[in-house]
Amino acid sequence: MAGIQVEALHAWYGRDLILKQVDLVFPGKAITAVIGPSGCGKSTLLRCLNRMHELVPGARVAGRVVLNETDIYHYGVNPVEIRRRVGMVFQNPNIFPTMTIFQNVGVGLALAGRQRYRHRQLETRVVKSLQQVGLWEEVKDRLHRTATGLSAGQLQRLCIARTLAVEPEVLLMDEPCSALDPIAAIRIEELMRELKASYTIILVTHNMQQAARVADFTAFISRGELIEYGSTPEVFLRPRDLRTERYITGTGG
Amino acid sequence: MAVKQQRQKMRRPCIDPGDGVLQGLAILSALGLLLLVFLIGLQIWRAAGPSLTRFGWSFIFSRTWDPVAGVFGALPYIYGTLITTLLGLILAAPLSLGAAIFLAELAPRPLRTVLGFLVDMLAAIPSIVYGLWGNFVLAPWLLRFLEPWLGQHFGWLPLFQGPMYGTGILAAAIILAIMISPLVTAISREVLALVPTGQREALQALGATPWEVVRVAVLPSARTGIIGAFTLGLGKALGETMAVTLVIGNRPEISWSLFAPAHTMTSVIINEFAEAITSLHVAALIHIALLLFLVTLLVNILARLLIYRMERGGKDGMMHEL
């Protein structure tokens, strides 16, 4: 089963230990939700999976993260290469304001180190990505204009299309709906369900209902430690740990 | 009065009378500044009167500058100012942009602080010091090494032909480049630092190299601000007087050669103003000041237009590889 295995992962910001001894398997072609109180380290965990964590000055990682039998932290592995295989969607739809919709989706393909795309191929991939996120019909007449005027939900789907365009194996989503209204959020959730047929999706969320609705598996993290991990119904209906139960029922982290 | 107050209240609800006072003061300050500029312009206009009526438009196009015969033309000075400023900007552009990118994006954090401080220090050196350094160090060096080298390898260009003096257009352009670089670097660095982290992370997450992040995500967002920084540098270069006067050679000639001495609008004013005896001579110098005022204004307007056009046109022109 393809996916990501995390083995004895530790992460630091400066001297602060953010993640302690996390052992976890994110199964392939499924959605795993990572939940936990603010500051518990769930975003850090996500950013360790595509080596974004180390971009912050003073950040450090120890342990193994195995993607398709390669430890992404192994000496000699190029982090840039890893980030092409593990895509990431952020909390705020961070499109490039100076680029057109088309360029926003195609930008990852135009970066160096990839095969040079001929215009036709590029166009095909951009169109396909926009169709995948259900944005094609909405933007096909304005591809070569900037994205200003799109709604927040549309922008977030544009960001997902941009990530899909480079054909990653894994999709990391860091609270992708928290800046969206409920209807736009539901739309993204539907999209996640469609995408899990082809991608490994890891979703960090504050929204317990969202985790319950879309995730196949759920991991609960508190104070940098993995407290509980299991199938979503198991974690939500029969939590083994008291801390999980208290967090889920809203009676304290 | 009461009615007026009522209208004021309806237009903008003032919770505190202090708000109204502040608003009034702010408007007054802004208007006062405009008035000041207008008065300066008017004063220069009036003082240049004799020269304006005598020479009119031909003042701009004439090359003759003969205080004894009382014939004045400003073309060599206008040329000198424009060519040294343009060359200075061309020389300063890669230097300042490179330094700003290094300081804002690539340098390790402790180095940023130290280097940033040093760059700011450079901006604080008085221009007379730059001028003396240019006269005693830069110009002799140019004469002994750079100019012969340029003449030897690029002598087929008219730009690098003719007798060498050390002091001249090239020396002035280099001094100007050195003087405006710290300013342009410091502002560009601030502008680059203002680009949101989300923009960088978005591209990093797509597998971009550090250079690609700068080129594709950071520079386009910061473009307007960087052009603004260069506009400020431009203004500084146009008005720079002391340093240029000391290295340009002070001869009102128009020559293709960058080795040739020249004169700028500011340097002729500072050189001749104290010795100008006839009232026409004085008026001609003030006429040049008026032209400098207008040239500066014009160049700034052009720079604004450029920003405006890039803002609108840049959206289609970006990323040609796509």
Side-chain angles (χ1 to χ4, degrees):
Chain A
M1 186 163 56
I4 294 192
Q5 288 139 263
V6 176
E7 294 165 18
L9 186 73
H10 295 256
W12 291 263
Y13 275 125
R15 289 187 167 183
D16 299 330
L17 183 59
I18 308 293
L19 286 177
K20 294 166 215 162
Q21 188 70 31
V22 174
D23 290 280
L24 189 57
V25 177
F26 295 105
K29 310 238 157 107
I31 302 176
T32 306
V34 180
I35 59 171
S38 293
C40 71
K42 53 192 190 303
S43 285
T44 304
L45 173 63
L46 209 61
R47 294 167 69 92
C48 286
L49 303 182
N50 67 344
R51 298 197 60 172
M52 289 282 283
H53 176 67
E54 68 203 48
L55 291 173
V56 178
R60 206 152 54 81
V61 176
R64 276 159 55 90
V65 175
V66 182
L67 170 68
N68 265 350
E69 287 163 17
T70 348
D71 175 11
I72 67 169
Y73 284 100
H74 191 270
Y75 182 78
V77 172
N78 185 358
V80 166
E81 195 52 49
I82 294 302
R83 287 178 211 132
R84 286 171 191 178
R85 291 170 59 191
V86 183
M88 190 166 202
V89 176
F90 298 83
Q91 181 173 358
N92 290 308
N94 50 1
I95 53 128
F96 299 108
T98 53
M99 293 183 198
T100 65
I101 291 173
F102 185 89
Q103 289 167 337
N104 259 292
V105 179
V107 61
L109 296 171
L111 296 176
R114 300 181 195 284
Q115 64 182 97
R116 280 282 154 195
Y117 281 81
R118 285 221 307 266
H119 193 75
R120 262 280 189 61
Q121 292 171 299
L122 183 72
E123 205 171 283
T124 317
R125 286 234 36 90
V126 168
V127 172
K128 190 181 161 217
S129 308
L130 284 171
Q131 282 168 342
Q132 270 180 297
V133 300
L135 206 55
W136 173 245
E137 288 300 322
E138 294 158 53
V139 301
K140 65 179 178 190
D141 299 322
R142 46 187 299 187
L143 280 181
H144 297 288
R145 276 185 270 155
T146 54
T148 42
L150 295 187
S151 72
Q154 285 174 317
L155 290 177
Q156 192 60 298
R157 278 186 284 151
L158 190 62
C159 288
I160 297 173
R162 174 177 72 188
T163 310
L164 295 181
V166 301
E167 302 186 299
E169 299 156 41
V170 180
L171 211 52
L172 307 177
M173 306 184 99
D174 192 356
E175 300 182 41
C177 302
S178 61
L180 306 183
D181 67 75
I183 293 168
I186 293 287
R187 190 87 176 70
I188 301 278
E189 287 177 18
E190 282 166 6
L191 178 58
M192 282 190 261
R193 274 191 219 102
E194 288 163 25
L195 292 175
K196 79 171 178 183
S198 356
Y199 301 90
T200 303
I201 299 178
I202 302 169
L203 167 74
V204 161
T205 181
H206 269 298
N207 184 332
M208 233 78 67
Q209 285 82 14
Q210 182 175 64
R213 276 195 300 266
V214 299
D216 303 296
F217 301 90
T218 297
F220 174 64
I221 293 183
S222 178
R223 296 183 186 182
E225 284 175 85
L226 178 68
I227 306 296
E228 186 151 355
Y229 172 75
S231 76
T232 301
E234 238 181 318
V235 173
F236 275 88
L237 300 175
R238 287 182 299 280
R240 279 163 302 182
D241 197 289
L242 184 63
R243 285 171 287 182
T244 317
E245 189 178 337
R246 284 171 64 187
Y247 180 72
I248 287 168
T249 54
T251 49
Chain B
M1 188 67 195
V3 177
K4 207 177 172 189
Q5 269 180 354
Q6 199 104 41
R7 274 175 60 192
Q8 194 85 25
K9 265 183 190 158
M10 279 169 68
R11 217 173 55 216
R12 187 171 302 172
C14 282
I15 299 160
D16 194 308
D19 285 354
V21 174
L22 182 67
Q23 198 184 350
L25 275 176
I27 290 173
L28 256 164
S29 312
L31 288 180
L33 217 56
L34 277 178
L35 188 72
L36 210 59
V37 173
F38 175 77
L39 284 177
I40 291 174
L42 190 72
Q43 191 61 34
I44 296 176
W45 174 274
R46 281 177 50 185
S51 172
L52 274 168
T53 45
R54 180 80 171 269
F55 305 114
W57 288 105
S58 73
F59 188 77
I60 301 175
F61 302 108
S62 162
R63 293 176 176 221
T64 320
W65 184 271
D66 190 344
V68 181
V71 182
F72 297 99
L75 190 62
Y77 307 108
I78 299 173
Y79 170 79
T81 291
L82 290 181
I83 188 79
T84 49
T85 300
L86 181 74
L87 268 177
L89 264 187
I90 290 173
L91 291 176
L95 186 70
S96 336
L97 204 56
I101 290 173
F102 180 72
L103 286 172
E105 302 288 326
L106 306 173
R109 219 145 271 254
L111 204 60
R112 282 181 204 195
T113 327
V114 177
L115 284 180
F117 178 70
L118 286 176
V119 168
D120 292 342
M121 287 271 293
L122 274 180
I125 296 177
S127 64
I128 185 78
V129 177
Y130 277 110
L132 287 174
W133 178 80
N135 196 300
F136 290 116
V137 181
L138 180 67
W141 181 80
L142 285 178
L143 182 60
R144 280 181 61 198
F145 299 106
L146 190 61
E147 289 185 353
W149 186 84
L150 283 171
Q152 203 179 352
H153 293 90
F154 299 96
W156 44 275
L157 279 169
L159 292 176
F160 304 113
Q161 288 168 0
M164 299 164 193
Y165 301 90
T167 53
I169 295 175
L170 188 63
I174 292 175
I175 278 287
L176 282 178
I178 295 173
M179 291 180 72
I180 66 174
S181 287
L183 178 78
V184 178
T185 303
I187 298 171
S188 302
R189 182 192 62 196
E190 296 299 317
V191 171
L192 289 176
L194 282 178
V195 174
T197 319
Q199 294 286 303
R200 295 188 178 83
E201 290 194 331
L203 208 64
Q204 279 162 345
L206 288 170
T209 60
W211 168 236
E212 284 170 335
V213 171
V214 171
R215 187 171 57 87
V216 181
V218 178
L219 283 181
S221 296
R223 195 179 43 197
T224 314
I226 290 173
I227 296 173
F230 276 99
T231 311
L232 281 176
L234 185 72
K236 192 174 148 113
L238 280 173
E240 178 49 45
T241 310
M242 272 329 294
V244 172
T245 304
L246 281 165
V247 297
I248 199 163
N250 297 328
R251 232 194 280 169
E253 286 171 3
I254 297 179
S255 163
W256 272 109
S257 174
L258 299 185
F259 301 155
H263 226 330
T264 65
M265 299 164 89
T266 51
S267 59
V268 69
I269 295 173
I270 202 169
N271 270 309
E272 297 188 5
F273 200 80
E275 288 137 35
I277 300 161
T278 62
S279 59
L280 188 62
H281 192 181
V282 174
L285 288 172
I286 294 176
H287 195 167
I288 287 185
L290 181 70
L291 287 180
L292 184 62
F293 197 69
L294 293 178
V295 166
T296 313
L297 207 66
L298 206 71
V299 167
N300 270 298
I301 289 172
L302 280 177
R304 295 271 154 170
L305 280 178
L306 187 74
I307 295 176
Y308 180 70
R309 271 204 47 174
M310 286 186 91
E311 282 279 271
R312 302 193 50 199
K315 280 156 190 169
D316 307 316
M318 281 279 311
M319 289 185 52
H320 300 289
E321 62 262 52
L322 271 183

